[in-house]
Amino acid sequence: MAKNCRFAVAVHIATLLALVGDKPASSEWISTSVNTNPVVVRRILSALAKAGLVRSSRGIKGGSVLSKAPADITLLELHRAVDEKDPPPLHNQQPNQQCPVGKNIQRVLTSVLERASKASDAMFADTTLAEVVADIERDA
Amino acid sequence: MAKNCRFAVAVHIATLLALVGDKPASSEWISTSVNTNPVVVRRILSALAKAGLVRSSRGIKGGSVLSKAPADITLLELHRAVDEKDPPPLHNQQPNQQCPVGKNIQRVLTSVLERASKASDAMFADTTLAEVVADIERDA
DNA sequence: TTAATGGTAATTACCGTAATTACATTTAGA
DNA sequence: TCTAAATGTAATTACGGTAATTACCATTAA
């Protein structure tokens, strides 16, 4: 398997935690809904904990709970918690710096990509976990 | 090498073509600015040609030229010409359809991701190749 | 006829990712 | 205090997307 699905799994997990409320959910239980390995779930939970979005406790009766109300968690927070922060270099080989285009293209592209990324982030920031939960409850 | 840099290379190539105007540019020459293999350049050019953005001719004195004015080519067109059209599935394993969350999360996520993608595309649509060229000429 | 060019298939190598295994650590409760 | 259930995390494996490269055919102007 290869495709990055951390964001999708993070939203999935957060939605489950929102639904069970204060009861700590185990990675084992979560993994049966996501249909993946419990370790994968724990890795995502670990990233969410570092971002202050969940709290996890060990031992019997341990598990994870949200540390904020679903209405106060945006999808942008979930996205930033699990995905790479700094964008990778645009080209693989550095373009020819002797060529005016090669010398400047990365600066120009970075600016455009940043605007696109900000626009995309605004959409994620505009959706809360509570809305996702409401949408899912509507059908379920 | 692994990272997808087709969009960056496509903009790079299109900018070069815009600068040389009517003179057909060879993949060999383009590759020295991009600093990659001529075949990689030809593959991108092939995609751009399929999208109607460039015309290529074979043989001696052959090469590629833009088929539209730079002011009439948006970065969105370049992006769509070279990148995958349909988004891949969100999860790797299908979520548990017995769970309300597993059953509905993909529909909800798809909707959010589509909004984010549209917002991002709007930024690309808002920038023309002519603007990129102008930006590069400003420094060069 | 030749040399320069694009078109494209096939192969290779690399790298990010999820999946899996293994094991240490923590914790509640009998 | 012992045990069972849970997290934390490192190490390894396998897969898949990508660029790079090679090879070869087709086209074209001189």
Side-chain angles (χ1 to χ4, degrees):
Chain A
M1 203 155 289
K3 187 125 330 223
N4 178 338
C5 54
R6 287 194 293 263
F7 175 57
V9 172
V11 176
H12 191 149
I13 291 174
T15 305
L16 289 169
L17 295 185
L19 282 168
V20 297
D22 286 342
K23 184 161 166 256
S26 75
S27 62
E28 177 72 33
W29 176 77
I30 292 170
S31 74
T32 65
S33 171
V34 179
N35 194 21
T36 186
N37 194 292
V39 175
V40 173
V41 171
R42 277 181 240 150
R43 275 200 286 253
I44 302 289
L45 280 169
S46 171
L48 297 182
K50 282 193 180 72
L53 300 172
V54 308
R55 276 178 291 110
S56 298
S57 48
R58 295 177 160 194
I60 291 186
K61 306 285 180 179
S64 302
V65 296
L66 291 179
S67 47
K68 302 205 290 184
D72 294 329
I73 297 180
T74 69
L75 297 197
L76 179 59
E77 291 177 280
L78 291 170
H79 191 262
R80 290 195 166 146
V82 298
D83 271 330
E84 48 183 293
K85 288 76 181 90
D86 24 58
L90 288 321
H91 294 58
N92 284 326
Q93 315 293 342
Q94 164 134 119
N96 184 345
Q97 300 295 299
Q98 259 52 53
C99 168
V101 177
K103 188 177 166 196
N104 292 282
I105 189 70
Q106 295 189 311
R107 168 179 58 79
V108 176
L109 270 174
T110 299
S111 149
V112 173
L113 290 172
E114 194 165 314
R115 266 182 286 150
S117 173
K118 278 193 201 313
S120 175
D121 282 355
M123 295 299 109
F124 290 131
D126 198 49
T127 306
T128 67
L129 183 56
E131 295 175 77
V132 172
V133 170
D135 195 345
I136 281 181
E137 279 178 329
R138 197 171 308 140
D139 173 279
Chain B
M1 202 156 290
K3 189 123 329 218
N4 178 339
C5 52
R6 287 193 293 263
F7 175 58
V9 172
V11 176
H12 191 151
I13 292 174
T15 304
L16 289 169
L17 295 185
L19 282 169
V20 297
D22 285 345
K23 181 158 168 262
S26 76
S27 62
E28 177 71 32
W29 176 76
I30 292 171
S31 75
T32 65
S33 171
V34 178
N35 194 21
T36 186
N37 194 292
V39 175
V40 172
V41 171
R42 278 181 237 150
R43 274 199 288 253
I44 303 288
L45 280 168
S46 171
L48 298 182
K50 282 193 179 71
L53 300 172
V54 308
R55 277 178 290 107
S56 299
S57 49
R58 293 177 163 194
I60 291 187
K61 305 283 178 181
S64 301
V65 296
L66 291 179
S67 47
K68 302 205 289 185
D72 293 330
I73 297 180
T74 68
L75 297 196
L76 179 59
E77 290 176 280
L78 292 170
H79 191 260
R80 289 196 166 142
V82 297
D83 271 330
E84 48 182 295
K85 288 78 179 85
D86 24 60
L90 288 321
H91 294 58
N92 285 327
Q93 316 292 341
Q94 164 135 117
N96 184 346
Q97 300 295 298
Q98 259 52 53
C99 168
V101 177
K103 188 178 167 196
N104 291 282
I105 190 70
Q106 295 190 309
R107 168 179 56 79
V108 176
L109 271 176
T110 299
S111 150
V112 173
L113 290 173
E114 194 164 313
R115 263 181 289 151
S117 173
K118 278 193 202 312
S120 175
D121 283 355
M123 296 299 108
F124 291 131
D126 199 47
T127 305
T128 68
L129 183 56
E131 294 176 77
V132 172
V133 170
D135 196 345
I136 281 181
E137 279 178 328
R138 196 171 310 141
D139 172 279

